Each structure stands twice: as structure tokens, then as C-alpha cells.
């Protein structure tokens, strides 16, 4: 902080101190309402905080602190303008892939996004049906509980429709695996024939 800034800061503090003395004396005389004064002081403090924050940002920009910052002059990622008091815990859970401690709404949403892959790893329809029934039961239970936190918006899965989709994905995987095996066999046969022709 240079001399001019230090002098301006001292003048601001002195003016603020003198203003508070004048206001206190007016309150003692009864010419000012204390509630109005408290509200005005609160607003002044808020304005001081905002001005101080702006001054700090401008000072940091002059020093080049924000050079190379990919978000400089751009909105922060994930900030859609809506106030979300749980933004920090949600981002930590997503960033570190934490499972088991998230609120039911977030845990079910994550599980719903990964459910198709989990179902594809199963080999029998009975197992797929059991997983879907369990998932739907947990969604219903989470909707019934009034524990606070974000609302449960995860949809229920129709078991029969999901079984049909699981069969179709499985048949497509088996068909692509068979095609890949056939291509490998054809390539191997072709190499064998070429070797045989060269040997003869």
C-alpha cells in the first residue's frame, strides 16, 4: 500500500469514526430512531465490504494475480444463476466420487445414471429384475421420507420395459462379439492359407 492509499484509508476511518460519534450524540438527544440507525449502519457496513472487495480485486488485477486464469472474465462453471446452498457438498461428492454419504436424492440420481451399465453386467433376467425392484423400492422410500435436502426427482424404472431393453442390448453385444470373432477367424484362416501357399 503506497502513501496515498494509506492516507485515504486513514481519512476514511476518521470520517467513519466522526460520523458514528455524531449519530450516537443524536440518538442520546432523542432526535434519531435507534432502529433506523442500526439499519443504516448495517447497510453502510455492507457497502464498505463490497467496496473493499472491489478494491482488493482491482489491486490483484493490477499485480497480475489473475493472469493465466482460465475463468478470468467468464462465469464460473456450474453457476446457472440459481442459489443452491448445497453447491459445495454436491461438487465435492461429484469431484471425489464419494458414495454412501450423499443425500438420497443425489445418490439415487447418480445410481440412475449408471443403472444401465450395472444391469448390462448381469447375466440373468432374474438378477436384473431383482436389481430393478430394489431400485424402485429405494426411490419410493426416499420420496416418502421427509429428512430435508434436495427433492427426489429420480423416476421409477418400469421393470418389464427395462428387461426388454436389457435383452436388446445383450443381443446387440452378442451379435457384435460374434461378428468380431468371425472377422478374427476369417483373418486367421486367410493368414493360414497364405502361409500354406507360400510353403508349397
Amino acid at each position: 500500500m503506497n502513501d496515498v492509499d494509506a492516507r485515504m484509508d486513514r481519512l476514511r476511518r476518521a470520517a467513519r469514526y466522526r460520523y458514528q460519534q455524531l449519530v450516537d450524540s443524536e440518538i442520546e438527544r432523542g432526535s434519531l430512531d435507534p432502529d433506523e440507525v442500526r439499519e443504516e449502519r448495517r447497510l453502510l457496513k455492507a457497502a464498505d465490504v463490497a467496496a473493499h472487495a472491489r478494491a482488493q480485486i482491482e489491486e490483484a488485477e493490477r499485480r497480475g494475480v489473475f493472469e493465466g486464469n482460465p475463468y478470468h472474465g467468464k462465469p464460473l462453471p456450474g453457476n446457472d444463476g440459481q442459489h443452491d446452498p448445497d453447491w459445495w457438498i454436491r461438487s465435492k461428492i461429484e469431484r471425489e466420487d464419494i458414495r454412501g454419504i450423499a443425500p438420497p436424492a443425489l445418490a439415487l440420481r447418480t445410481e440412475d445414471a449408471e443403472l444401465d451399465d450395472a444391469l448390462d453386467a448381469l447375466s440373468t433376467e432374474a438378477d436384473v429384475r431383482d436389481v430393478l425392484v430394489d431400485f424402485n423400492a429405494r426411490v419410493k422410500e426416499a420420496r416418502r421420507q421427509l429428512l430435508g435436502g434436495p427433492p427426489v426427482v429420480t423416476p421409477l424404472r418400469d421393470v418389464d420395459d427395462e428387461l426388454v431393453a436389457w435383452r436388446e442390448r445383450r443381443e446387440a453385444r452378442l451379435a457384435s462379439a460374434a461378428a468380431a470373432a468371425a472377422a478374427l477367424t476369417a483373418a486367421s484362416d486367410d493368414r493360414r492359407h497364405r502361409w500354406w501357399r507360400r510353403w508349397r
Side-chain angles (χ1 to χ4, degrees), residues 108 135-146 152:
L108 287 170
F135 176 77
N136 285 341
R138 285 185 289 117
V139 169
K140 288 177 188 174
E141 183 62 27
R143 287 180 182 173
R144 261 189 240 121
Q145 291 179 359
L146 300 173
V152 179

Side-chain angles (χ1 to χ4, degrees), residues 6-185:
R7 245 182 271 133
M8 290 301 292
D9 189 47
R10 281 197 304 270
L11 283 173
R12 266 191 232 104
R13 277 189 276 144
R16 206 176 300 130
Y17 176 73
R18 181 67 184 133
Y19 171 76
Q20 287 176 356
Q21 282 184 328
L22 290 172
V23 169
D24 289 342
S25 66
E26 291 296 320
I27 288 174
E28 287 175 11
R29 279 193 237 152
S31 61
L32 284 177
D33 181 20
D35 292 334
E36 289 178 11
V37 171
R38 259 189 244 109
E39 179 64 19
E40 187 177 337
R41 282 184 180 168
R42 187 186 67 77
L43 292 173
L44 280 172
K45 282 183 183 175
D48 282 348
V49 168
H52 180 69
R54 276 193 300 277
Q56 291 291 330
I57 290 170
E58 289 168 4
E59 173 65 25
E61 283 179 341
R62 278 196 298 274
R63 287 193 328 253
V65 171
F66 299 123
E67 299 277 328
N69 184 344
Y71 301 118
H72 182 64
K74 298 177 186 170
L76 294 174
N79 184 4
D80 57 0
Q82 302 291 327
H83 175 65
D84 181 12
D86 300 325
W87 66 269
W88 62 275
I89 190 68
R90 182 174 290 121
S91 64
K92 183 161 184 69
I93 288 169
E94 289 171 2
R95 186 175 58 248
E96 298 185 10
D97 197 23
I98 298 172
R99 297 174 189 267
I101 63 165
L106 298 178
L108 287 170
R109 205 176 310 164
T110 302
E111 187 178 348
D112 182 48
E114 299 169 355
L115 190 59
D116 288 343
D117 293 335
L119 294 177
D120 289 346
L122 301 174
S123 56
T124 65
E125 286 189 23
D127 291 342
V128 172
R129 185 178 294 279
D130 290 343
V131 168
L132 289 167
V133 167
D134 176 61
F135 176 77
N136 285 341
R138 285 185 289 117
V139 169
K140 288 177 188 174
E141 183 62 27
R143 287 180 182 173
R144 261 189 240 121
Q145 291 179 359
L146 300 173
L147 299 177
V152 179
V153 295
T154 305
L156 294 172
R157 296 284 189 117
D158 185 279
V159 176
D160 295 328
D161 290 346
E162 291 296 327
L163 279 170
V164 169
W166 174 79
R167 277 189 221 110
E168 289 172 355
R169 289 193 305 267
R170 185 173 183 216
E171 288 169 7
R173 277 197 319 275
L174 291 174
S176 67
L184 268 172
T185 305

